[in-house]
Amino acid sequence: MSDYRRIADRIADDIATGRLRPGQRLPPQRAFARRRGIAPSTAGRVYGELVRRGLVVGEVGRGTFVRAAPAGPAGRALIEPALAAAPVNLELNYPAAPGQPELLAPVLAPLLRPDVLAEALLPAAATGTAAAREAAATVLTTPGWRPAPERLLFTGNARQAIAAVLASLVRPGGRVGVEQLTYPLVKEIAARLGITLVPLAGDAAGLLPEAVAAAHRTAPLSALYLQPTLHNPTSLTTGRPRLLQLAQLLHDLNLPVVEDRIWSFLREPGDPLAVHAPALTHVVDGLSKRVAPGLTAGFLVVPPHRVAAVADAVRSGGWSAGRFALEAAVRWAAEGTVARLVAAKRADAARRQRILAEELAGFAVRSDPASCFAWWELPAPWRADTFTAAAAAHGIAVTPGPAFAVAPGHTPDAVRLGLASAPEPDLRRALRTLAHVAARRAGDRTGP
């Protein structure tokens, strides 16, 4: 939290010295974030801190401006400072089960024996070990699908798995179809690899096959990247009928797909798209959400004829998993620790969804009873950037909707709420505060 305050201090100095003049408009938060190399959510906190200090004011539909003078008693900004409160981060989203360290520690203890540790500290190949492949296959198994262990590869985390697959599938300048709202880090990965993302329309059932076909006719797509289960940020899960339609289209176009299933463990097991298009689907999953982000591994299930190519991409990108993490994963899976954590985290997500429903009743919130996040379509006249700044002024970090938008200019007036990381009392308090802020200003169209 101190980083955004240091940036706010520098802006405050610019205002005090006259480098920023009264009435001058600050850049949009996304532009500010790009210029300074920070996350959009951090930019939102900077702007919120400046509002809290009374140095700037947000105007709905116009932006954020340097104040001409300190706010008088009759003046009211759209974003008002709040009383000091402990920060609550609803941007981070790593579920943790009660008693998680106590569950994990006993399995790790044998790895600390010198003879075992010596083996666990050796480099790991992209193919891992036979035991790791069997363990990962067990973790990923659904009622209708068990991945063949020989098709499994490992990376340091799921994000690296996405990067490795895309690097192996798409040349610089290639086009990858994605949902109109997508995982923000996929946008960063694509930019680093020189890949163009093509936003594809969907409906309440999931990605529209006709949108994929139309985009492919315009200029061939090299691949798709999809989150069919608990899509981030909307929590939508694509049903079997739509998966079958998409699988048929993939076969017709011979189009490979990256299926991100990192959140799928929270729902009752459903079969992946890979069941219906095994020769084209590259499944990405991992342990960061199931277990913990600090000691994790990314899983890749790839078509048989692509194992070597993807393994080469893992090696050349430096994305290999740590051997210690793989050894831990083998033991956690064999001892049933992963299964126990999954059950506990499903129960935890359900509790948090009940809190969400209670505190944001009456608002346009899209989520799933099993999800760890929610998509809040803000009431007018709120914009995503001004609401994010208002939340930051109250010590609450949220992710603005534009962070997920692929097409330039398509900036949904929504925010994503990560429900998993904050303690439940803090989550309830934060959601109640945000509801109060949204309702208090929803009808105020006059501005300051």
Side-chain angles (χ1 to χ4, degrees):
M1 298 294 284
S2 61
D3 290 342
Y4 81 84
R5 291 195 180 98
R6 284 196 291 269
I7 299 172
D9 288 342
R10 291 196 287 271
I11 303 300
D13 288 342
D14 289 343
I15 294 173
T17 59
R19 287 190 291 270
L20 285 174
R21 299 181 302 279
Q24 186 170 341
R25 185 179 188 273
L26 298 185
Q29 288 181 29
R30 291 188 72 188
F32 183 87
R34 284 196 300 271
R35 291 176 190 175
R36 293 184 176 260
I38 59 177
S41 58
T42 303
R45 293 179 202 148
V46 172
Y47 280 38
E49 177 66 13
L50 294 172
V51 168
R52 190 189 67 78
R53 299 182 191 183
L55 299 175
V56 301
V57 60
E59 297 184 22
V60 173
R62 293 188 59 209
T64 303
F65 297 82
V66 178
R67 276 192 182 276
R76 270 200 314 156
L78 177 68
I79 303 168
E80 295 177 344
L83 295 175
V88 180
N89 195 328
L90 303 186
E91 183 179 30
L92 289 178
N93 208 28
Y94 289 103
Q100 181 167 300
E102 290 76 11
L103 279 173
L104 296 174
V107 179
L108 291 178
L111 285 173
L112 302 182
R113 284 175 29 203
D115 57 329
V116 179
L117 186 60
E119 184 76 15
L121 294 181
L122 293 173
T127 52
T129 63
R133 292 192 295 274
E134 287 290 343
T138 298
V139 168
L140 299 180
T141 293
T142 69
W145 181 67
R146 177 180 170 83
E150 63 271 15
R151 294 172 53 196
L152 270 151
L153 299 171
F154 300 92
T155 59
N157 54 46
R159 288 169 289 180
Q160 293 177 353
I162 295 168
V165 174
L166 289 178
S168 74
L169 285 171
V170 188
R171 294 181 178 180
R175 289 162 37 97
V176 173
V178 296
E179 291 124 330
Q180 290 175 321
L181 298 172
T182 196
Y183 179 38
L185 282 178
V186 170
K187 297 194 290 183
E188 295 183 18
I189 291 169
R192 290 181 181 276
L193 295 177
I195 293 170
T196 299
L197 296 182
V198 180
L200 304 172
D203 60 13
L207 184 67
L208 288 166
E210 53 265 36
V212 179
H216 194 66
R217 284 195 301 269
T218 300
L221 298 173
S222 299
L224 296 181
Y225 166 83
L226 305 177
Q227 292 179 313
T229 305
L230 293 180
H231 170 263
N232 184 12
T234 66
S235 296
L236 175 68
T237 293
T238 303
R240 189 172 186 272
R242 181 60 58 84
L243 288 180
L244 289 171
Q245 293 174 352
L246 288 169
Q248 184 58 56
L249 179 66
L250 295 176
H251 286 301
D252 293 344
L253 301 178
N254 193 31
L255 183 62
V257 60
V258 181
E259 181 180 8
D260 187 342
R261 286 179 57 82
I262 195 68
W263 289 108
S264 64
F265 72 96
L266 287 174
R267 286 182 62 91
E268 288 303 317
D271 294 337
L273 178 60
V275 169
H276 312 298
L280 294 165
T281 306
H282 303 67
V283 175
V284 170
D285 211 318
L287 293 180
S288 62
K289 312 297 186 185
R290 281 182 172 86
V291 179
L295 188 61
T296 188
F299 301 155
L300 274 167
V301 184
V302 302
H305 64 284
R306 301 220 67 246
V307 170
V310 179
D312 285 345
V314 172
R315 285 190 293 270
S316 63
W319 295 314
S320 300
R323 179 71 174 266
F324 189 91
L326 292 185
E327 294 293 339
V330 169
R331 287 161 173 77
W332 284 329
E335 296 289 333
T337 304
V338 175
R340 287 191 288 272
L341 286 174
V342 166
K345 291 181 180 185
R346 286 180 181 175
D348 182 70
R351 288 195 305 272
R352 291 166 184 271
Q353 282 290 332
R354 288 193 290 271
I355 293 172
L356 174 76
E358 293 165 6
E359 299 300 335
L360 295 188
F363 290 101
V365 179
R366 297 166 59 186
S367 194
D368 183 287
S371 180
C372 277
F373 45 86
W375 181 246
W376 186 3
E377 297 172 351
L378 299 168
W382 281 111
R383 294 165 56 100
D385 55 353
T386 53
F387 189 82
T388 301
H394 287 77
I396 303 167
V398 300
T399 308
F404 299 90
V406 177
H410 289 262
T411 54
D413 289 321
V415 294
R416 194 203 71 167
L417 305 173
L419 309 178
S421 295
E424 288 183 33
D426 292 347
L427 174 64
R428 184 179 291 278
R429 172 173 61 84
L431 294 176
R432 186 170 296 174
T433 299
L434 294 178
H436 178 68
V437 171
R440 188 179 61 208
R441 290 289 181 250
D444 183 0
R445 297 176 182 275
T446 60

Coordinates of all heavy atoms in Angstrom, one line a residue, residues 182-232:
T182 N -11.4 -10.9 -20.7 CA -10.5 -12.0 -20.5 C -9.5 -11.7 -19.4 O -9.4 -10.6 -18.9 CB -9.8 -12.3 -21.8 OG1 -9.2 -13.6 -21.7 CG2 -8.7 -11.3 -22.1
Y183 N -8.9 -12.8 -19.0 CA -7.9 -12.7 -17.9 C -6.8 -11.6 -18.3 O -6.2 -11.7 -19.3 CB -7.2 -14.1 -17.8 CG -6.1 -14.3 -16.8 CD1 -6.2 -13.6 -15.5 CD2 -5.1 -15.1 -17.0 CE1 -5.2 -13.8 -14.6 CE2 -4.1 -15.3 -16.1 CZ -4.1 -14.7 -14.9 OH -3.1 -14.9 -14.0
P184 N -6.6 -10.6 -17.4 CA -5.7 -9.5 -17.8 C -4.3 -9.9 -18.2 O -3.7 -9.3 -19.1 CB -5.8 -8.6 -16.6 CG -7.1 -8.8 -16.0 CD -7.3 -10.3 -16.2
L185 N -3.8 -10.9 -17.5 CA -2.4 -11.3 -17.8 C -2.2 -11.9 -19.2 O -1.1 -11.9 -19.7 CB -1.9 -12.2 -16.7 CG -1.4 -11.5 -15.4 CD1 -1.0 -12.6 -14.4 CD2 -0.3 -10.5 -15.7
V186 N -3.3 -12.4 -19.7 CA -3.2 -12.9 -21.1 C -2.9 -11.8 -22.1 O -2.2 -11.9 -23.0 CB -4.5 -13.7 -21.5 CG1 -4.6 -14.0 -23.0 CG2 -4.7 -15.0 -20.7
K187 N -3.5 -10.6 -21.8 CA -3.2 -9.4 -22.6 C -1.7 -9.1 -22.5 O -1.1 -8.8 -23.5 CB -4.0 -8.3 -22.2 CG -5.5 -8.5 -22.4 CD -6.3 -7.2 -22.3 CE -6.4 -6.7 -20.9 NZ -7.2 -5.5 -20.8
E188 N -1.1 -9.2 -21.3 CA 0.3 -8.9 -21.1 C 1.1 -9.9 -21.8 O 2.1 -9.6 -22.5 CB 0.6 -8.8 -19.7 CG 0.0 -7.7 -18.9 CD 0.4 -7.6 -17.5 OE1 1.4 -8.2 -17.1 OE2 -0.3 -6.9 -16.7
I189 N 0.8 -11.2 -21.7 CA 1.5 -12.3 -22.3 C 1.5 -12.1 -23.9 O 2.5 -12.2 -24.5 CB 0.9 -13.6 -22.0 CG1 1.2 -13.9 -20.5 CG2 1.5 -14.8 -22.8 CD1 0.4 -15.1 -19.9
A190 N 0.3 -11.8 -24.4 CA 0.2 -11.6 -25.8 C 1.1 -10.4 -26.3 O 1.7 -10.5 -27.4 CB -1.3 -11.4 -26.2
A191 N 1.1 -9.3 -25.6 CA 1.9 -8.2 -26.0 C 3.4 -8.5 -26.0 O 4.1 -8.1 -26.9 CB 1.6 -7.0 -25.0
R192 N 3.8 -9.3 -25.0 CA 5.2 -9.7 -25.0 C 5.6 -10.7 -26.1 O 6.8 -10.6 -26.6 CB 5.6 -10.3 -23.6 CG 5.5 -9.3 -22.5 CD 5.9 -10.0 -21.2 NE 5.8 -9.0 -20.1 CZ 6.8 -8.2 -19.7 NH1 7.9 -8.2 -20.4 NH2 6.7 -7.4 -18.7
L193 N 4.7 -11.5 -26.5 CA 4.9 -12.4 -27.6 C 4.6 -11.9 -29.0 O 4.8 -12.6 -30.0 CB 4.1 -13.7 -27.4 CG 4.4 -14.5 -26.1 CD1 3.4 -15.7 -26.0 CD2 5.9 -15.0 -26.1
G194 N 4.2 -10.6 -29.0 CA 3.8 -10.0 -30.3 C 2.6 -10.6 -31.0 O 2.5 -10.7 -32.2
I195 N 1.6 -11.0 -30.1 CA 0.4 -11.7 -30.6 C -0.7 -10.7 -30.5 O -0.9 -9.9 -29.6 CB 0.1 -12.9 -29.7 CG1 1.1 -14.0 -29.9 CG2 -1.3 -13.5 -30.0 CD1 1.0 -15.2 -28.9
T196 N -1.6 -10.7 -31.5 CA -2.8 -9.9 -31.5 C -4.0 -10.7 -31.0 O -4.3 -11.7 -31.5 CB -3.1 -9.4 -33.0 OG1 -2.0 -8.6 -33.5 CG2 -4.4 -8.6 -33.0
L197 N -4.6 -10.1 -30.0 CA -5.8 -10.7 -29.4 C -7.1 -10.2 -30.1 O -7.2 -9.0 -30.4 CB -6.0 -10.4 -27.9 CG -4.9 -11.0 -27.0 CD1 -5.2 -10.7 -25.6 CD2 -4.7 -12.5 -27.2
V198 N -8.0 -11.1 -30.5 CA -9.2 -10.8 -31.2 C -10.4 -11.0 -30.3 O -10.6 -12.2 -30.0 CB -9.3 -11.6 -32.5 CG1 -10.6 -11.2 -33.3 CG2 -8.1 -11.4 -33.4
P199 N -11.1 -10.0 -29.9 CA -12.2 -10.2 -29.0 C -13.4 -10.9 -29.7 O -13.8 -10.5 -30.8 CB -12.6 -8.8 -28.5 CG -12.1 -7.9 -29.6 CD -10.9 -8.6 -30.2
L200 N -14.0 -11.9 -29.1 CA -15.1 -12.7 -29.7 C -16.3 -12.6 -28.8 O -16.2 -12.7 -27.6 CB -14.7 -14.1 -29.9 CG -13.4 -14.4 -30.7 CD1 -13.0 -15.8 -30.6 CD2 -13.6 -14.0 -32.1
A201 N -17.5 -12.4 -29.5 CA -18.7 -12.2 -28.7 C -19.2 -13.5 -28.1 O -18.9 -14.6 -28.6 CB -19.8 -11.6 -29.7
G202 N -19.9 -13.3 -27.0 CA -20.6 -14.5 -26.4 C -22.0 -14.1 -25.9 O -22.4 -13.0 -26.1
D203 N -22.6 -15.1 -25.4 CA -24.0 -14.8 -24.8 C -24.0 -15.5 -23.4 O -23.0 -15.9 -22.9 CB -25.1 -15.3 -25.7 CG -25.0 -16.8 -26.1 OD1 -24.3 -17.5 -25.4 OD2 -25.7 -17.2 -27.0
A204 N -25.2 -15.7 -22.9 CA -25.4 -16.3 -21.6 C -24.9 -17.7 -21.5 O -24.7 -18.3 -20.4 CB -26.8 -16.2 -21.1
A205 N -24.8 -18.4 -22.7 CA -24.3 -19.8 -22.7 C -22.8 -19.9 -22.9 O -22.3 -21.0 -22.9 CB -25.1 -20.5 -23.8
G206 N -22.1 -18.8 -23.2 CA -20.7 -18.9 -23.5 C -20.3 -18.3 -24.8 O -21.1 -17.6 -25.4
L207 N -19.1 -18.6 -25.2 CA -18.6 -18.1 -26.5 C -19.4 -18.5 -27.7 O -19.8 -19.7 -27.7 CB -17.1 -18.5 -26.7 CG -16.4 -18.0 -27.9 CD1 -16.2 -16.5 -27.8 CD2 -15.1 -18.7 -28.1
L208 N -19.7 -17.6 -28.6 CA -20.6 -17.9 -29.7 C -19.7 -18.5 -30.9 O -18.8 -17.9 -31.3 CB -21.2 -16.7 -30.3 CG -22.4 -16.1 -29.4 CD1 -22.7 -14.7 -29.8 CD2 -23.6 -17.0 -29.5
P209 N -20.1 -19.8 -31.3 CA -19.3 -20.4 -32.4 C -19.3 -19.5 -33.6 O -18.3 -19.4 -34.3 CB -20.0 -21.7 -32.6 CG -20.7 -22.0 -31.3 CD -21.1 -20.7 -30.8
E210 N -20.4 -18.9 -33.9 CA -20.5 -18.0 -35.2 C -19.5 -16.8 -35.1 O -19.0 -16.4 -36.1 CB -21.9 -17.5 -35.4 CG -22.6 -16.8 -34.3 CD -23.4 -17.8 -33.5 OE1 -23.0 -18.9 -33.3 OE2 -24.5 -17.3 -33.0
A211 N -19.2 -16.3 -33.8 CA -18.3 -15.3 -33.7 C -16.9 -15.8 -34.0 O -16.1 -15.0 -34.6 CB -18.3 -14.7 -32.3
V212 N -16.6 -17.0 -33.6 CA -15.3 -17.6 -33.9 C -15.1 -17.7 -35.4 O -14.1 -17.4 -36.0 CB -15.1 -18.9 -33.2 CG1 -13.7 -19.5 -33.5 CG2 -15.2 -18.8 -31.7
A213 N -16.1 -18.3 -36.0 CA -16.1 -18.5 -37.5 C -15.9 -17.2 -38.3 O -15.1 -17.2 -39.2 CB -17.4 -19.3 -37.9
A214 N -16.7 -16.2 -37.9 CA -16.6 -14.9 -38.5 C -15.2 -14.3 -38.4 O -14.6 -13.8 -39.4 CB -17.6 -14.0 -38.0
A215 N -14.6 -14.3 -37.2 CA -13.3 -13.8 -37.0 C -12.3 -14.6 -37.9 O -11.3 -14.0 -38.4 CB -12.9 -13.8 -35.6
H216 N -12.4 -15.9 -37.9 CA -11.5 -16.7 -38.7 C -11.6 -16.4 -40.2 O -10.6 -16.5 -40.9 CB -11.8 -18.2 -38.4 CG -10.7 -19.1 -38.8 ND1 -9.4 -19.1 -38.3 CD2 -10.6 -20.1 -39.8 CE1 -8.7 -20.0 -38.9 NE2 -9.4 -20.6 -39.8
R217 N -12.8 -16.1 -40.7 CA -12.9 -15.8 -42.1 C -12.3 -14.4 -42.4 O -11.7 -14.2 -43.5 CB -14.4 -15.7 -42.5 CG -15.1 -17.0 -42.6 CD -16.4 -16.9 -43.3 NE -17.4 -16.0 -42.6 CZ -18.2 -16.5 -41.7 NH1 -18.3 -17.8 -41.4 NH2 -19.0 -15.6 -41.1
T218 N -12.4 -13.5 -41.5 CA -11.8 -12.2 -41.7 C -10.2 -12.3 -41.9 O -9.7 -11.7 -42.8 CB -12.1 -11.2 -40.5 OG1 -13.5 -11.1 -40.4 CG2 -11.4 -9.9 -40.7
A219 N -9.6 -13.0 -41.0 CA -8.2 -13.3 -41.1 C -8.0 -14.5 -40.2 O -8.4 -14.5 -39.1 CB -7.3 -12.1 -40.6
P220 N -7.2 -15.5 -40.7 CA -7.1 -16.8 -40.0 C -6.6 -16.6 -38.5 O -5.7 -15.8 -38.3 CB -6.2 -17.6 -40.8 CG -6.3 -17.1 -42.2 CD -6.5 -15.6 -42.0
L221 N -7.3 -17.2 -37.6 CA -6.8 -17.3 -36.2 C -5.8 -18.4 -36.1 O -6.0 -19.5 -36.7 CB -8.0 -17.5 -35.3 CG -9.1 -16.5 -35.3 CD1 -10.3 -17.0 -34.4 CD2 -8.6 -15.2 -34.7
S222 N -4.8 -18.2 -35.2 CA -3.8 -19.2 -35.0 C -4.3 -20.1 -33.8 O -3.9 -21.3 -33.7 CB -2.5 -18.6 -34.6 OG -2.0 -17.8 -35.7
A223 N -5.1 -19.6 -32.9 CA -5.6 -20.4 -31.8 C -6.7 -19.6 -31.1 O -7.0 -18.4 -31.4 CB -4.4 -20.6 -30.8
L224 N -7.3 -20.3 -30.1 CA -8.3 -19.6 -29.2 C -7.7 -19.8 -27.8 O -7.0 -20.7 -27.5 CB -9.6 -20.3 -29.2 CG -10.5 -20.3 -30.5 CD1 -11.8 -21.0 -30.3 CD2 -10.7 -18.8 -30.9
Y225 N -8.1 -18.8 -26.9 CA -7.8 -18.9 -25.5 C -9.2 -18.8 -24.8 O -9.8 -17.7 -25.0 CB -6.8 -17.9 -25.0 CG -6.8 -17.8 -23.4 CD1 -6.1 -18.7 -22.7 CD2 -7.6 -16.8 -22.8 CE1 -6.1 -18.6 -21.3 CE2 -7.6 -16.8 -21.4 CZ -6.9 -17.6 -20.7 OH -6.9 -17.6 -19.3
L226 N -9.6 -19.7 -24.0 CA -10.9 -19.7 -23.4 C -10.8 -20.1 -21.9 O -10.0 -20.8 -21.5 CB -11.9 -20.7 -24.1 CG -12.0 -20.6 -25.6 CD1 -12.9 -21.7 -26.1 CD2 -12.6 -19.2 -26.0
Q227 N -11.8 -19.6 -21.2 CA -12.0 -20.0 -19.8 C -13.5 -20.5 -19.7 O -14.4 -19.8 -19.2 CB -11.8 -18.9 -18.8 CG -10.4 -18.4 -18.7 CD -10.3 -17.2 -17.7 OE1 -11.1 -16.3 -17.8 NE2 -9.4 -17.2 -16.9
P228 N -13.8 -21.8 -20.1 CA -15.2 -22.2 -20.1 C -15.8 -22.5 -18.7 O -17.0 -22.5 -18.6 CB -15.1 -23.6 -20.9 CG -13.7 -23.6 -21.6 CD -12.8 -22.8 -20.7
T229 N -14.9 -22.7 -17.7 CA -15.5 -23.0 -16.4 C -15.1 -21.8 -15.4 O -13.9 -21.5 -15.2 CB -14.9 -24.3 -15.9 OG1 -15.1 -25.3 -16.8 CG2 -15.5 -24.7 -14.5
L230 N -16.1 -21.2 -14.8 CA -16.0 -20.1 -13.9 C -15.1 -19.0 -14.6 O -14.0 -18.7 -14.1 CB -15.4 -20.5 -12.6 CG -16.4 -21.4 -11.7 CD1 -15.7 -21.8 -10.4 CD2 -17.7 -20.7 -11.5
H231 N -15.5 -18.5 -15.7 CA -14.8 -17.5 -16.5 C -14.5 -16.3 -15.6 O -15.3 -15.8 -14.8 CB -15.7 -17.1 -17.6 CG -15.2 -15.9 -18.4 ND1 -15.7 -14.6 -18.1 CD2 -14.3 -15.7 -19.3 CE1 -15.1 -13.7 -18.9 NE2 -14.2 -14.4 -19.7
N232 N -13.3 -15.8 -15.7 CA -12.8 -14.7 -15.0 C -12.9 -13.5 -15.9 O -12.2 -13.5 -16.9 CB -11.4 -14.9 -14.5 CG -10.8 -13.8 -13.7 OD1 -11.5 -12.9 -13.2 ND2 -9.5 -13.8 -13.5

